[in-house]
Amino acid sequence: MKEEIAKVMTMVQEGKIDVEKATELLHVMKGEDTRNQSEKSSDYFRKMLKVQVVSTERDNIYVNVPINLVKAVLKAGVGIASKVPQAEMYVKDIDIDLLLQAIDNEIDGKIVDVAYGNGDKVSVVIE
């Protein structure tokens, strides 16, 4: 199943299919009835994207953003950032469609978990 998902995501990256078609394919592969998707989505979009940076120097960062806001901001924010010269280099390699697809497929749990040698930690979780 993982190979099939990877193939679908590659097709999106290559522009062979759009995010909506990829989402539909993934649901079919999982054997899900897409008619019940609205019920599932309403629960998922109550979740939060939580970003946590814990620093040994105590300059910690905690950000909680509703998933439905993340989706809207991703669409608008990258377009804006790509037009700002100082920010362009930070967003040029981000595959927004892939991130949106992850949200559309209701990915949750720990997404990023990094521990640095100096003791600093960064985590991104959807819950």
Side-chain angles (χ1 to χ4, degrees):
M1 180 68 145
K2 289 183 180 182
E3 290 178 1
E4 290 85 0
I5 292 171
K7 287 179 185 178
V8 170
M9 295 181 98
T10 300
M11 290 169 58
V12 171
Q13 287 178 322
E14 293 172 351
K16 294 180 180 177
I17 60 173
D18 62 12
V19 174
E20 291 173 14
K21 184 65 176 176
T23 302
E24 183 181 327
L25 287 171
L26 291 170
H27 287 298
V28 170
M29 284 190 295
K30 291 179 182 178
E32 295 176 358
D33 184 354
T34 57
R35 291 173 292 180
N36 296 329
Q37 200 58 34
S38 62
E39 293 173 19
K40 294 177 189 175
S41 294
S42 65
D43 289 338
Y44 182 76
F45 285 109
R46 291 185 189 128
K47 294 187 179 209
M48 303 287 279
L49 175 77
K50 298 180 178 185
V51 178
Q52 181 180 34
V53 179
V54 178
S55 170
T56 56
E57 296 179 15
R58 298 185 186 197
D59 49 350
N60 301 330
I61 301 169
Y62 302 95
V63 179
N64 297 326
V65 183
I67 284 295
N68 56 351
L69 181 59
V70 170
K71 190 171 180 178
V73 169
L74 279 175
K75 289 179 180 178
V78 170
I80 293 168
S82 64
K83 293 177 179 27
V84 176
Q86 295 87 351
E88 182 181 15
M89 67 180 184
Y90 296 106
V91 297
K92 68 179 180 170
D93 295 325
I94 297 174
D95 187 346
I96 295 304
D97 290 334
L98 197 57
L99 294 172
L100 291 171
Q101 182 179 350
I103 292 171
D104 287 341
N105 284 299
E106 301 182 3
I107 302 298
D108 64 356
K110 193 167 279 193
I111 297 170
V112 174
D113 189 21
V114 180
Y116 294 95
N118 66 355
D120 292 352
K121 295 180 182 180
V122 176
S123 66
V124 178
V125 179
I126 297 176
E127 56 184 21

